[in-house]
Amino acid sequence: MKMTAKESPDQPDAGRRHGAQGAAGARSTSSLAQRLSTYGPLIGIAVLAFLLLVWAPNSLSTFRLGNLGRYCALGLASMGIGLAWGRGGMLVLGQGVFFGLGAYAMAMHMKLEVAGPGGVPDFMMLYGDGTMPSWWEPFRSGPFTLFAIVAVPLVVSFLLGYAILKRRVKGSYFAILTQAMAVAFATLLVATIKQTGGFNGLNTFSTFFGHNLYNPEVQTNIYRLAAGLMIVFLVILWQLYRSRYGELLVATRDAEERIRFLGYDPANIKLAAFMMAAVMASIGGAMFVPIVGIVSPSNVDASASILLVAGVALGGRASLFGPALGAIAVGYGRSTLSESFPTQWTYFLGGLFIVVVLLLPGGVASLWPMLRSRLSSVQRKPSSIDVDDGLEADEPAVLA
């Protein structure tokens, strides 16, 4: 015969208190995790801003700082690819076109600064009869040059994007078309040697909006400008990804027909992302010129565009920081490996891409979500035990 022991009056209360404490702890943990997921990127942007704007200028040599500035300029173009490809599903293999539009606009202004008022760039006298095309003349103005760096890629990307996306071209066909644009643009630059410098491009700059480029302080300020622009666009993209448009862009990438069924035009949604990516690439190209000191067709052709895409894939195309950090990593890897292995560095870089694509299809940025999911699964086990203990405390003790 079994008898039930008299239940202690404090036992159920203790169990309830224990369960309530576990629930409160779970709620606080989930609230903290939600805040970190929302504002954690801002903390990361602040840390990156400190490293780029404070630590790097005070720790790196002028040469290394110039290299880092070049990586930041390429990072701006890569962030645009992350927006179009990672969030919009548009694999853009011709981002060098818009990078080149901004770069050549800035280079034209800087060449005219060297030539002086009424002067003609030196290569036009070397390769031609010294006659400057009329469309060069407005670039003597600094404000017009800044306006053109933004307006020209906006117009070009709108015309190209509207013609392609409105016809529902996507996938590999979209990638091939954009790559063909980069090939055609580079070929056009090489063929117009009298107007754009041809294969040699535009170089031999000495001033940047009236400031001496050979002054180390001016070089540092140009680097700070490039790094600051990258930080600003990171903040803009962070806000954009959290907005209603960012959700629509991802939904269009994942289920375009459903978005169309809901009354939205997927072409317009992707066109806006395509245009924003073009502007970011153009600004990156404009900052590339005063830092590197040259722009040529090799900086804007299909191979250069594909290298930008490779950096985005390495860092993580769908993440906020992945494209920028991937571009910096690829640029640093190219510089470091080419110094140590002048003829074999491409094999090392190619092997790295293969390993990352095979083991981390989401890029290096996917490591953190994987670790976070594993940590959360480990933390759930103790919480489940605590809840079981609380339930057992409410059950009456049974004596044989």
Side-chain angles (χ1 to χ4, degrees), residues 197-209:
F199 183 80
N200 295 323
L202 302 179
N203 48 42
T204 63
F205 311 115
S206 59
T207 59
F208 177 71
F209 288 89

Side-chain angles (χ1 to χ4, degrees), residues 174-213:
F174 181 88
I176 292 171
L177 281 175
T178 54
Q179 187 178 27
M181 290 189 308
V183 174
F185 183 62
T187 304
L188 177 64
L189 292 174
V190 173
T192 54
I193 187 172
K194 296 180 181 180
Q195 293 80 25
T196 62
F199 183 80
N200 295 323
L202 302 179
N203 48 42
T204 63
F205 311 115
S206 59
T207 59
F208 177 71
F209 288 89
H211 299 280
N212 184 7
L213 279 177

Side-chain angles (χ1 to χ4, degrees), residues 24-248:
R27 283 195 298 270
S28 63
T29 303
S30 63
S31 176
L32 179 61
Q34 185 177 3
R35 290 182 180 180
L36 284 177
S37 64
T38 303
Y39 297 104
L42 279 182
I43 299 175
I45 292 174
V47 172
L48 185 62
F50 173 80
L51 293 175
L52 292 178
L53 299 176
V54 179
W55 177 81
N58 296 320
S59 303
L60 300 180
S61 63
T62 304
F63 174 74
R64 297 298 180 187
L65 195 65
N67 281 343
L68 184 56
R70 176 162 57 94
Y71 309 152
C72 291
L74 296 174
L76 282 168
S78 299
M79 288 158 57
I81 296 176
L83 172 64
W85 181 30
R87 297 286 173 152
M90 298 174 288
L91 178 56
V92 284
L93 296 180
Q95 206 69 352
V97 173
F98 307 110
F99 186 86
L101 288 175
Y104 271 86
M106 180 63 73
M108 289 163 64
H109 172 72
M110 295 174 69
K111 287 296 289 184
L112 291 174
E113 274 192 330
V114 175
V120 177
D122 52 1
F123 71 91
M124 291 185 181
M125 294 183 289
L126 179 63
Y127 302 134
D129 56 1
T131 303
M132 187 175 68
S134 58
W135 49 272
W136 267 73
E137 193 63 36
F139 288 93
R140 291 188 188 274
S141 170
F144 177 84
T145 301
L146 297 178
F147 171 77
I149 289 169
V150 177
V152 172
L154 266 180
V155 174
V156 174
S157 61
F158 173 78
L159 295 176
L160 294 175
Y162 189 89
I164 296 174
L165 296 174
K166 283 294 184 179
R167 287 170 172 78
R168 301 187 183 183
V169 177
K170 55 185 178 180
S172 58
Y173 299 101
F174 181 88
I176 292 171
L177 281 175
T178 54
Q179 187 178 27
M181 290 189 308
V183 174
F185 183 62
T187 304
L188 177 64
L189 292 174
V190 173
T192 54
I193 187 172
K194 296 180 181 180
Q195 293 80 25
T196 62
F199 183 80
N200 295 323
L202 302 179
N203 48 42
T204 63
F205 311 115
S206 59
T207 59
F208 177 71
F209 288 89
H211 299 280
N212 184 7
L213 279 177
Y214 297 101
N215 187 345
E217 185 177 352
V218 173
Q219 296 175 0
T220 302
N221 290 334
I222 294 174
Y223 159 77
R224 285 197 174 100
L225 180 59
L229 284 171
M230 192 175 76
I231 297 298
V232 168
F233 276 102
L234 278 175
V235 176
I236 293 174
L237 288 179
W238 171 75
Q239 185 61 39
L240 184 69
Y241 291 168
R242 298 171 62 243
S243 66
R244 178 66 175 170
Y245 171 76
E247 295 175 353
L248 276 174

Side-chain angles (χ1 to χ4, degrees), residues 297-322:
S298 63
N299 301 125
V300 302
D301 60 4
S303 60
S305 302
I306 293 174
L307 195 61
L308 289 174
V309 173
V312 174
L314 176 65
R317 63 181 184 271
S319 65
L320 177 63
F321 296 98

Side-chain angles (χ1 to χ4, degrees), residues 255-297:
E256 183 173 330
E257 294 303 323
R258 292 186 180 183
I259 293 299
R260 184 176 287 108
F261 178 76
L262 292 174
Y264 296 98
D265 189 353
N268 292 337
I269 297 172
K270 294 194 289 187
L271 179 59
F274 186 66
M275 293 170 65
M276 285 186 281
V279 172
M280 294 173 66
S282 179
I283 294 175
M287 294 308 305
F288 179 87
V289 173
I291 293 174
V292 179
I294 184 176
V295 60
S296 67

